[in-house]
Amino acid sequence: MNSAAWHARIECGGRITGAGFLVTPDKVVTCAHVVRDGDRHPLTVTFTERPGMPAVPARIVAHGGWSGGATDLGDLAVLELRHEVGIAPAALAPPGAAHGEPPRRLVVYGFPAGFDEGALAEYRTTGPQLIKNEWNQLEAWQTDGQPLARGYSGAAVALADTGEVVGMVTAAAGTKGVRNGRMMPVQVMARYWPDLESLVPASPRAAAQRARLRELVEKAVRAGLECDPVRLYTAAADPFDPLPPPGGFDSLRSAALFVLCELDARATATVARFADHLESLLGVTDETDTPDWSPILVELAPSGAGQGLIRVEVSAYSGGRRHPVGSDTVPQARLRTHVQDRIEAAFRHLTPGTQELIAFALPRDWLDWPVDRWPKAPDDDTPLGCVYPVVVTDHARRKPGTRHVLTRAWNRLDARPGTRLHRVECACPEDPRKLRHALRRSEACLAGFAAAPHTARARPHFEVSLTAPAPVIMWSRAGCADAHPAAPGARDCPGTAFLDALDAHVGRVPPARLPRAVLDLREEAHLEDGHWASDIQLLWDDPRCFTEPHGDAVHLQCPVA
């Protein structure tokens, strides 16, 4: 560390209480618990690498909010020196520089009992995982090396080869014989003192993304963009990224500062996603583009816990990740109210600027349920399908093999300017085996049924459409009944009339936009009695909208001095 003169010894009331380090010509960073008595006793800072230099009086000008407990957060304080000192401040390392393979050797310069002039200790990080979103764990470089002890609190943790500071010691293990401790990394320090953010360098790749984010934030502020900064951050964050502050963000700028200051080097993707979402909000949506759906998936199934009980699982999908919202078993009498509450809760996880989609995954015998007609909320009886795009899908089609085939089909459909309909007439004259071949080999991606799938004549063909698998299936819940006397395709057949109207309506609609087109139809039908689409049901199944969840982990430690 080349006898770096920026190492500081902190004294309170004439007693050595810990260490610190110079970050600007007149600012020293240390732990809040090191200067806990600084409001009652004089504070002085001594730079021991400059023998003969008198101690410099100081005062606390920033505090991380530490509450006094061993594991309380925000154990950081900034001291302002009475005057600038002629010492070059410490150089800070980019976030994540403390970690590597092989491990990076780290050096700590503190003032344990009996070493008023200072003593060195060698450590390394156990890994990049943050403990309680606040600390990295330190472990001794050598089993017989100098342990962290009282007097090391507030000391800089620096790379042995470059001398760049990667963090600050805040705690030791507190157990005899255990040579571990914890470090507040530089990006977390900047969370509590934003002025430090400009001093923390970024990797070249991260620097470009950070510059882009700053530029977009300024553009959004100038444009008067209105958005929910908490939703914007949540949509961009990885599972291991810290949660938003309890009080949220008071502005878009504060959310961006949180992203820029809080996240370590592993979070470059989060910075990029935050910028991408913001750029999407600033841009004008082209209605001809493929929608960026943010689905809410409502999975319903009979519960094995008893008759009349239904298993309900609700998830939100945004930013390429799944966010579980709730998993419950409820009586059928309470099902709609429960689903209303869970859908409302799921909206907190959706990516701002994307288009919401409510998808019900149902057992095959329930696919005809009029879920689009369920009230939006207990105090709002507007049909759900007249407020949001609502689709259904079959539980059995969520198997990996089926998802693979459907994904390949949807990749082809992205280039289609419209939707080709394969008609399944009410009397179903087509052999089911030929229907399978037609759905797999023809250009048609939508199987349209003149009769509801629960009818005896339509059921075999409906099963084939599901297993083929057809990416999209549509029918009218009030379609032709089994006893309808008209010949297949007759003009007075309600099923034929439904297919004619459907074909005319969807021919110019890209398959990816069908949920939005059906929402428009349902709104029209809600205002017009006898509308051909009043009972329309849409089975729409694009696996690319849905992803798998990730895990998370937490680990705690206790403080030093």
Side-chain angles (χ1 to χ4, degrees), residues 25-294:
D26 66 343
K27 298 289 192 308
V28 168
V29 175
T30 186
C31 289
H33 76 262
V34 168
V35 294
R36 60 165 66 108
D37 297 324
D39 57 343
R40 295 184 290 116
H41 300 290
L43 287 172
T44 58
V45 176
T46 301
F47 296 94
T48 57
E49 292 299 299
R50 289 289 178 87
M53 181 178 178
V56 182
R59 65 188 181 96
I60 301 171
V61 294
H63 194 281
W66 179 67
S67 301
T71 57
D72 288 341
L73 306 181
D75 192 5
L76 176 140
V78 180
L79 309 184
E80 183 180 66
L81 304 178
R82 179 173 292 178
H83 56 79
E84 293 186 3
V85 293
I87 296 173
L92 305 186
H99 322 296
E101 193 59 46
R104 304 293 302 273
R105 187 163 64 96
L106 308 175
V107 177
V108 182
Y109 191 120
F111 303 91
F115 293 88
D116 291 358
E117 73 285 2
L120 296 173
E122 293 182 315
Y123 275 77
R124 61 187 174 192
T125 62
T126 304
Q129 171 68 51
L130 282 178
I131 299 168
K132 210 174 179 181
N133 288 322
E134 184 89 354
W135 309 287
N136 287 126
Q137 181 170 299
L138 296 174
E139 58 184 36
W141 185 262
Q142 297 177 337
T143 57
D144 58 350
Q146 166 68 42
L148 296 178
R150 185 179 297 274
Y152 278 99
S153 288
V157 181
L159 296 170
D161 52 354
T162 68
E164 295 174 302
V165 175
V166 296
M168 176 180 71
V169 175
T170 59
T175 302
K176 187 175 181 179
V178 178
R179 296 174 184 264
N180 286 353
R182 66 185 178 206
M183 169 188 83
M184 182 184 290
V186 289
Q187 72 274 10
V188 176
M189 293 167 62
R191 178 199 315 169
Y192 296 113
W193 188 41
D195 288 356
L196 197 67
E197 193 269 336
S198 62
L199 304 176
V200 179
S203 65
R205 176 168 169 260
Q209 291 293 353
R210 292 161 74 87
R212 173 175 171 246
L213 177 55
R214 290 191 184 97
E215 181 180 341
L216 287 169
V217 168
E218 293 308 313
K219 182 178 179 181
V221 171
R222 289 195 301 269
L225 178 70
E226 294 185 5
C227 68
D228 182 345
V230 173
R231 282 185 60 192
L232 193 64
Y233 172 75
T234 303
D238 274 325
F240 289 110
D241 289 338
L243 296 174
F249 305 111
D250 58 8
S251 67
L252 176 61
R253 271 201 178 102
S254 66
L257 183 63
F258 187 86
V259 170
L260 293 171
C261 294
E262 171 108 6
L263 310 182
D264 63 21
R266 296 176 302 124
T268 300
T270 302
V271 177
R273 281 193 298 268
F274 192 99
D276 288 344
H277 296 330
L278 184 55
E279 190 171 49
S280 176
L281 288 173
L282 285 166
V284 177
T285 302
D286 184 348
E287 289 298 312
T288 64
D289 290 343
T290 300
D292 185 11
W293 295 114
S294 283

Side-chain angles (χ1 to χ4, degrees), residues 474-498:
M474 281 178 152
W475 66 94
S476 171
R477 293 186 295 266
C480 278
D482 284 339
H484 193 275
R491 292 298 94 185
D492 60 343
C493 170
T496 297
F498 172 80

